Amino acid sequence: EVQVVESGGGSAQAGGSLRLTCSYSSLPFEPSEMGWYRQATGNECDLVSTIRGDGTTYYTDSVKGRFTVSQDNAKKMVYLQMDSLKPEDTALYHCAWDPPYRPGVGYVPPARCSYWGQGTQVTVSS
């Protein structure tokens, strides 16, 4: 089963920072876009950010100005720098390849967050 490997999660105080790392070196193909989802307990799998091969990025409104996505194509790594963390950022964060997208609609929810990998837990305390 092809999956990505996420790391970097942990606990932080509100206002603090964490940096998530995703390795997609096991993929037998080159994805056109990478993304980060998160799923809080009892909630749906929500898209946080994406980055395309040309560097184009997307952020959901709640993280704009606080999170920064980046990539190292040579190393097949994607990063999510999370600053000014808030308790509502607490969730299991999943790295994804080729987030589902429908022309005219936009990004659509995946069947499940765990499709791409096991995720890394982020817990922010107030």
Side-chain angles (χ1 to χ4, degrees), residues 44-97:
E44 295 182 347
C45 181
D46 296 324
L47 182 63
V48 176
S49 178
T50 70
I51 185 166
R52 296 180 180 173
D54 64 0
T56 303
T57 58
Y58 161 87
Y59 298 96
T60 192
D61 286 345
S62 62
V63 308
K64 284 181 181 177
R66 301 189 298 121
F67 290 11
T68 304
V69 63
S70 60
Q71 62 189 358
D72 185 329
N73 293 331
K75 295 182 179 180
K76 295 193 173 184
M77 302 284 283
V78 179
Y79 309 96
L80 186 67
Q81 177 67 40
M82 305 185 297
D83 299 318
S84 302
L85 284 164
K86 303 177 180 180
E88 51 264 42
D89 294 320
T90 295
L92 186 62
Y93 282 71
H94 294 267
C95 177
W97 68 83

Side-chain angles (χ1 to χ4, degrees), residues 25-45:
S25 60
S26 66
L27 300 185
F29 55 90
E30 191 65 34
S32 59
E33 186 173 26
M34 295 295 294
W36 288 95
Y37 287 84
R38 66 185 179 187
Q39 187 167 25
T41 303
N43 287 8
E44 295 182 347
C45 181

